[in-house]
Amino acid sequence: MAIALVGQPNVGKSSVLSRLTGVNTVVSNYPGTSLELERGELTIEGRKYEIIDTPGIYSLALAQNEETIVPELLFDPAVDLVIDVIDAANLARNLVLTLELVDLDKPMIVLLNQIDRVRAGGYWIDHQALSRMLGCPVFPFSALTGEGVMEVLNLLQASSKRGFSRFRPHQDIAGQITCVVGSDCTGKCLRCLSQNRETGCFDKALWARHERARTLAERVLIKQTAAQVLWLTRVEKFIDKPWQGSLVLLGLVLLGFKALLSFTGWMEGLVANTFAPVQEILSRGIGMVVPPGFWNQVLSKGVPEGILLPFALVMPAMLMVSLLMSLLEDTGLLARYAVVMERFGGLFGVSGQAVIPLALGFGCRTPAIVATRILPGTGQRFIVMTLLSIVIPCAATVGMITSVISSFHAYASVIIVTTLVVFVVLGRLMKSRYGEKSELVYELPPLRIPLGCNLWSKVKTRCTGFLTEVLPLLVIMSVGVRIVIDSGVLERLHALEELTRFLFGIPAEAFAAVLVTVVQRYLAPLILLNLTLSPREATIAISMVALSLPCLPVMVMIWREAGVKTLGKIMGMGFLVSFAIGILLNLLLPC
Amino acid sequence: MLTRRNESSPTGEVLTLACLKTGGKARVLDLGGAGINRRLVSLGIGPGTELEVVSVHPFRGPVVVRVDGAQVAIGRGLAEKIKVEEPV
Ligand SMILES: Nc1nc2c(ncn2[C@@H]2O[C@H](COP(=O)(O)OP(=O)(O)OP(=O)(O)O)[C@@H](O)[C@H]2O)c(=O)[nH]1
Ligand SMILES: [Mg+2]
């Protein structure tokens, strides 16, 4: 039996899925978290239920591009039941979608989710009256407290024998929106989608549904007590004042960077101390097992390096960045940055919403590429994908780069300034070609207290992903790099030495590290750390590595999301930027 | 209730969402432009909707309004097109 969870963005569909099935889905406090279907399974008395979480949509009739997977799923006869998840604290607007769903004539139940917030606001919803009007079961629900879960499970269990009854909405609700244009229009304007979307009928029907939802909401919403003034509401009021809010947000960014730097510094020492013996043992152990010779040399150095480097360099930054990012996502602050940054976005031809994928990119760029879907327009998506791929350093990159910087005493400030300049210049250049004018229309989530378990599960997901996917690869590649270094292939590159010195001011081996980013970005630091470089050379080489191609998973994701042509363009630009940076820094930096 | 003098005023003295101050309340008369309408409409902003301005960001930044329980940020250019009247 298949059940679809449908609702407007950020109402808590994914949280409901986790509550009901225990499956680990991404839950964040901003609209547009889930962008794909996600499935969970539930077994009641031996009967299996497949529950499908969907991306949030405001209206079925207005679904565009990727959003159309929701109406498609609903029209699929395999879906037996629709669970409409409503943000009860915003009843009127949420009921618009409910009314559309009513018109679909499918078995449905309605969850008044976030009922805890409604109560805190001093309201109560007469769910029985609402149930009579809609003609389907309505449950007060809270994915946060677990209220209503038993009722829903009981209903599923009871209906598993009889099957779900079709519901009969009150005559006031269904099919009442009359058509003003064409005679063959049903007036519901959900099924006549395939016809002309541009008719006045469509817009009228849309707004009529809103007004209907509003009257319905007014009838069932009952003021009970005075609203509790939560301290969170006070914080929200404070942050939402433009000046002080911007200052607070800026302060938080600085605080975040400070936390990141001190944490990585502290961890690096710790990891180095605890891992030095491990490395020693590993390299001795391998040295004893493998017969002396070339392979002994290669393995006893390459394997420990491949394991130690990621732990010492990447893990600390990754832990901290993913924690900070999760905090921004779950409190609702991330969406507030989108508003504050809107004016700057205009400089690059993107809207304020671009802040969300760009900021996510600091954690990991792969999900950030998917998150560009929330942007209006393909031009904007292309700009943001390019900036993400070439400029934004992800947590792993930051970790790698900082360690290379410190081991060669490279000029960190030069690298930071270069990154900023590239961001601005690339953004401006792309704006003139791909920029689209679009106005921000974006729903701000309420501020919430982040849940510890949710933060923990996000950090854990990211770190296990790294350990299982990237770490083994790095060990293998680290051995590969050792082979290359020990076999003396790099020395053959000396033919190029004159050219690379002239153009970029770096030795040929360092240039090889830049080129190797095509295969795997994380390899570059492994090579660099094995060379002897002056601070100036290191600065140029690191900048060239940092501002070039993204890692393989990101490239695959771009291919999937935007096609191979876009990927080609972005890769081309990546090399161009990288080489241009090398040449410019070589000219500008004093020897 | 105010009349629709704003719309017909030849001096162009139209009250728009962008004119309102923080804390100001208004009722929407008319949304500008067709395509964008639907994005606003899907967030519950259409003719007759009552809004409260939560904040107006400086340097032509967005206007944040409260519609029922939700807050919606609207770019300044668009806010300038949304005609409103102040409810009595
Ligand atoms: N207070 C309260 N918060 C909730 C409840 N359910 C969900 N939330 C919070 O609401 C936010 C959004 O939850 P999600 O489950 O990501 O919402 P979604 O509907 O899947 O959102 P999209 O995928 O963006 O459409 C998160 O911060 C949740 O912690 C609830 O019942 N009560
Ligand atoms: Mg979701």
Side-chain angles (χ1 to χ4, degrees):
Chain A
M1 177 157 307
I3 302 172
L5 285 173
V6 182
Q8 293 197 337
N10 208 40
V11 298
K13 297 172 294 301
S14 305
S15 313
V16 171
L17 180 73
S18 311
R19 253 297 167 190
L20 293 178
T21 68
V23 80
N24 192 6
T25 46
V26 186
V27 168
S28 297
N29 186 20
Y30 64 86
T33 308
S34 314
L35 295 160
E36 267 153 18
L37 301 180
E38 181 94 38
R39 287 153 212 272
E41 238 173 42
L42 177 69
T43 315
I44 308 174
E45 289 189 341
R47 216 188 140 95
K48 270 211 179 111
Y49 297 83
E50 185 188 34
I51 306 190
I52 308 163
D53 180 26
T54 60
I57 52 167
Y58 288 107
S59 149
L60 291 177
L62 288 179
Q64 277 180 347
N65 309 328
E66 284 92 354
E67 287 169 1
T68 51
I69 51 172
V70 181
E72 273 160 26
L73 180 76
L74 291 172
F75 287 123
D76 184 347
V79 172
D80 304 291
L81 175 73
V82 177
I83 297 185
D84 176 29
V85 185
I86 281 184
D87 172 4
N90 197 354
L91 191 62
R93 200 193 71 205
N94 276 260
L95 282 175
V96 175
L97 181 65
T98 309
L99 291 181
E100 289 183 327
L101 292 169
V102 164
D103 281 349
L104 282 180
D105 249 0
K106 265 206 152 162
M108 174 164 91
I109 63 177
V110 174
L111 302 187
L112 299 171
N113 193 36
Q114 307 199 29
I115 199 78
D116 51 308
R117 287 180 59 225
V118 177
R119 280 211 200 96
Y123 283 90
W124 175 240
I125 295 172
D126 186 351
H127 60 275
Q128 281 153 342
L130 186 59
S131 166
R132 278 195 300 278
M133 300 301 291
L134 294 173
C136 69
V138 177
F139 298 104
F141 197 94
S142 171
L144 186 73
T145 64
E147 179 178 346
V149 173
M150 278 323 289
E151 285 84 345
V152 172
L153 295 183
N154 285 341
L155 180 99
L156 289 183
Q157 187 186 356
S159 331
S160 67
K161 298 186 192 93
R162 293 183 273 108
F164 294 105
S165 47
R166 286 204 179 276
F167 57 93
R168 236 168 278 113
H170 194 274
Q171 54 173 2
D172 270 10
I173 299 298
Q176 286 283 307
I177 297 157
T178 43
C179 185
V180 275
V181 194
S183 54
D184 46 17
C185 175
T186 62
K188 289 179 181 175
C189 281
L190 183 58
R191 277 175 231 150
C192 56
L193 270 185
S194 50
Q195 297 170 32
N196 198 351
R197 261 195 177 205
E198 302 306 319
T199 55
C201 164
F202 182 78
D203 281 343
K204 282 241 168 71
L206 202 65
W207 193 241
R209 210 175 272 124
H210 268 276
E211 285 174 344
R212 194 156 287 272
R214 181 168 302 280
T215 26
L216 188 57
E218 273 162 13
R219 264 199 250 171
V220 296
L221 198 63
I222 300 157
K223 181 85 185 161
Q224 270 195 325
T225 52
Q228 299 168 22
V229 183
L230 303 170
W231 63 270
L232 208 56
T233 327
R234 289 208 199 109
V235 175
E236 194 173 298
K237 276 227 170 86
F238 186 84
I239 290 212
D240 284 338
K241 296 227 168 67
W243 287 104
Q244 57 207 51
S246 308
L247 281 180
V248 170
L249 292 180
L250 184 70
L252 286 176
V253 169
L254 296 179
L255 212 69
F257 271 114
K258 190 120 189 46
L260 176 65
L261 288 181
S262 37
F263 182 73
T264 46
W266 178 74
M267 278 293 277
E268 230 167 285
L270 191 80
V271 171
N273 285 340
T274 40
F275 270 78
V278 178
Q279 188 177 19
E280 189 65 32
I281 294 168
L282 259 178
S283 113
R284 275 231 199 107
I286 293 173
M288 284 195 296
V289 175
V290 183
F294 178 73
W295 286 107
N296 183 311
Q297 278 271 321
V298 165
L299 289 179
S300 64
K301 266 195 173 167
V303 174
E305 234 169 44
I307 296 175
L308 182 77
L309 279 179
F311 270 104
L313 314 183
V314 185
M315 276 313 252
M318 197 139 85
L319 272 174
M320 198 63 194
V321 173
S322 41
L323 180 68
L324 292 174
M325 282 310 304
S326 312
L327 274 172
L328 287 186
E329 288 166 15
D330 290 9
T331 47
L333 286 172
L334 186 58
R336 278 160 176 84
Y337 280 99
V339 174
V340 172
M341 299 298 285
E342 201 248 2
R343 283 141 287 170
F344 301 105
L347 297 177
F348 307 115
V350 298
S351 58
Q353 279 132 290
V355 170
I356 290 176
L358 288 174
L360 292 178
F362 283 98
C364 176
R365 290 186 274 196
T366 320
I369 296 285
V370 186
T372 57
R373 286 189 192 172
I374 65 171
L375 296 174
T378 45
Q380 286 204 29
R381 276 193 83 182
F382 182 51
I383 297 178
V384 175
M385 276 188 189
T386 310
L387 291 174
L388 268 174
S389 313
I390 299 174
V391 193
I392 302 289
C394 64
T397 308
V398 169
M400 293 268 181
I401 287 176
T402 43
S403 71
V404 184
I405 289 177
S406 64
S407 65
F408 291 112
H409 303 289
Y411 318 131
S413 50
V414 173
I415 297 172
I416 293 172
V417 170
T418 312
T419 310
L420 288 176
V421 169
V422 172
F423 187 90
V424 174
V425 171
L426 193 63
R428 292 291 301 192
L429 284 180
M430 293 196 73
K431 178 194 173 176
S432 59
R433 210 169 133 65
Y434 301 101
E436 300 157 351
K437 203 165 163 39
S438 77
E439 287 289 358
L440 179 75
V441 178
Y442 190 62
E443 184 185 1
L444 287 181
L447 285 188
R448 293 186 220 262
I449 303 163
L451 294 174
C453 55
N454 198 40
L455 292 178
W456 167 239
S457 93
K458 281 184 182 179
V459 173
K460 205 174 70 182
T461 315
R462 199 154 293 162
C463 291
T464 41
F466 180 78
L467 288 181
T468 53
E469 283 157 31
V470 183
L471 190 66
L473 213 70
L474 278 181
V475 175
I476 297 171
M477 290 191 170
S478 157
V479 172
V481 170
R482 268 283 133 213
I483 296 178
V484 171
I485 291 176
D486 286 4
S487 65
V489 172
L490 278 187
E491 259 110 70
R492 293 208 198 129
L493 279 173
H494 280 304
L496 282 175
E497 183 86 14
E498 230 167 86
L499 186 68
T500 60
R501 284 239 178 248
F502 170 72
L503 278 180
F504 312 121
I506 55 174
E509 292 101 325
F511 184 65
V514 175
L515 290 183
V516 96
T517 51
V518 188
V519 191
Q520 172 52 274
R521 183 187 178 81
Y522 301 124
L523 263 181
L526 284 181
I527 297 185
L528 289 179
L529 286 175
N530 278 303
L531 307 175
T532 35
L533 298 172
S534 71
R536 182 180 189 270
E537 290 167 350
T539 307
I540 298 176
I542 295 168
S543 306
M544 287 179 76
V545 168
L547 298 162
S548 74
L549 301 180
C551 65
L552 210 58
V554 170
M555 295 203 246
V556 174
M557 194 52 86
I558 294 175
W559 188 337
R560 224 189 74 188
E561 290 285 314
V564 69
K565 251 171 95 181
T566 306
L567 177 62
K569 275 190 205 161
I570 292 179
M571 287 178 71
M573 275 192 277
F575 273 122
L576 219 69
V577 168
S578 178
F579 289 179
I581 288 302
I583 294 170
L584 280 177
L585 284 181
N586 188 28
L587 287 175
L588 293 176
L589 283 183
C591 288
Chain B
M1 205 176 96
L2 291 175
T3 53
R4 298 208 166 194
R5 69 182 156 85
N6 293 331
E7 277 189 308
S8 52
S9 159
T11 51
E13 195 214 311
V14 182
L15 194 59
T16 67
L17 186 56
C19 306
L20 298 174
K21 299 235 159 49
T22 302
K25 290 199 169 85
R27 184 181 298 122
V28 176
L29 287 175
D30 179 35
L31 307 173
I36 201 84
N37 259 351
R38 293 187 182 162
R39 275 165 69 203
L40 286 171
V41 164
S42 64
L43 282 160
I45 301 175
T49 310
E50 295 193 3
L51 310 166
E52 184 192 333
V53 178
V54 175
S55 58
V56 182
H57 285 256
F59 307 119
R60 291 188 54 79
V63 179
V64 181
V65 296
R66 183 184 300 284
V67 193
D68 292 323
Q71 287 193 23
V72 179
I74 302 173
R76 187 66 68 95
L78 186 56
E80 280 167 348
K81 291 198 199 109
I82 302 177
K83 298 195 187 81
V84 298
E85 60 179 8
E86 275 174 284
V88 272

